[in-house]
Amino acid sequence: LEQIEMLIPKEKRKDKAAIESAINTHCTLSGFGSEWKPNPNLVSPKDVKMCYMFEPIKKAISTPFATGMPKKKVCTRLKKDNPEVCEVKYPIKVEKKEGEQVNYNKMRVKQLKTLLDQRGVRCVGCSEKSDYVKKCEETEHLDL
């Protein structure tokens, strides 16, 4: 939703037609339904999936969006119509500078578990944060 919002000029952020047009511009190359073709600028398959879900519910998105509702709230409102909308999860980005190590101790356990899951590693016997931190450090080379 943030990427779509950046396509809309500030003075048109309350205009539903402009919002729907921005969704079209961001998501669609051509077609609708089974003929729908995603915009080639969508890099992530998760972005394509989100756009595929947004296409039929553009009006439901534009109404709360035009009122200035926060993006998270728009997402929870859309969840009533399509529970999958808020379920698309993007990978956790671990910022690592050249020659430095990532400080996994600053991350929450939930983030560490997700990171290990993205790397395809199971942490058997991990019960404390220090166990997860150690496993993340051991599997750092698996990061893409």
Side-chain angles (χ1 to χ4, degrees), residues 35-69:
E35 301 294 316
W36 182 77
K37 290 183 180 53
N39 188 338
N41 296 334
L42 297 174
V43 182
S44 167
K46 295 183 190 251
D47 287 337
V48 173
K49 183 176 181 179
M50 286 296 289
C51 283
Y52 184 74
M53 286 188 276
F54 282 176
E55 195 59 36
I57 58 171
K58 282 188 279 199
K59 288 197 185 309
I61 295 170
S62 65
T63 303
F65 208 89
T67 61
M69 189 180 285

Side-chain angles (χ1 to χ4, degrees), residues 43-98:
V43 182
S44 167
K46 295 183 190 251
D47 287 337
V48 173
K49 183 176 181 179
M50 286 296 289
C51 283
Y52 184 74
M53 286 188 276
F54 282 176
E55 195 59 36
I57 58 171
K58 282 188 279 199
K59 288 197 185 309
I61 295 170
S62 65
T63 303
F65 208 89
T67 61
M69 189 180 285
K71 309 306 167 284
K72 294 251 187 218
K73 186 88 171 171
V74 173
C75 181
T76 53
R77 184 175 274 188
L78 293 173
K79 197 173 184 178
K80 293 174 189 169
D81 296 332
N82 187 351
E84 288 184 356
V85 170
C86 298
E87 300 300 316
V88 176
K89 301 224 184 299
Y90 289 87
I92 295 176
K93 293 179 184 172
V94 179
E95 294 188 24
K96 183 179 174 183
K97 294 179 182 169
E98 199 69 35

Side-chain angles (χ1 to χ4, degrees), residues 12 15 22-23 32 45 75-76 79 87 105 112 116 119 125 131 144:
K12 291 194 173 190
D15 182 18
I23 292 171
F32 183 78
C75 181
T76 53
K79 197 173 184 178
E87 300 300 316
N105 286 313
L112 295 171
L116 287 170
R119 292 177 181 172
D131 299 330
L144 299 175

